[in-house]
Amino acid sequence: MESNYHTLKRTDNQLLMITHLAQLLTYVTGFGGLIVPLIIWATQKDKVDGMDAHGKSILNFQLSIIVYCILSIPLMIVFGLGILLLILIGILAFVMPIINAIKASNGELPSYPLSLNFVS
C-alpha cells in the first residue's frame, strides 16, 4: 500500500504572499528580488499548494525585468527613451509584486503584465 504523504500539499497563502513581496528586496538591498523568491519556490513548490504557479510567474517576471533593463541601455544611448523605459520598469517592478501579494493572500493566481515565459 502506497503512502500519499508526498502528494499532499498544504495551503499557505501567507508564504505565497511573502514570496511575491520578497521581490521588493531589490529596492532595499540592491539584489535579492530574484534570488529569494527562487529559493522559496525551489524549496516549497512540492510542499505548498499553488507555489509552483506563483513561483514560475515571479521568476518569469523578474527575468523579464532584467531583459527589459538590458534592452533599455542601448535605447538610452540611441534615442534617449531608455530612461523613460527604466522609470516605467521601476514602477512596474514595485507595484506588481504588491498587487500580486494581495491576490495571493486572497487565494487568486498572479498576473504579471509584459512577462516573458522563461520558466514553464
Side-chain angles (χ1 to χ4, degrees), residues 19-33:
T19 307
H20 285 282
L21 292 176
Q23 297 174 81
L24 300 176
L25 282 172
T26 301
Y27 291 96
V28 178
T29 63
F31 65 94

Side-chain angles (χ1 to χ4, degrees), residues 10 15 46 51 70 99:
R10 71 181 194 278
L15 184 60
D46 296 327
M51 180 59 80
I70 292 170
I99 290 171

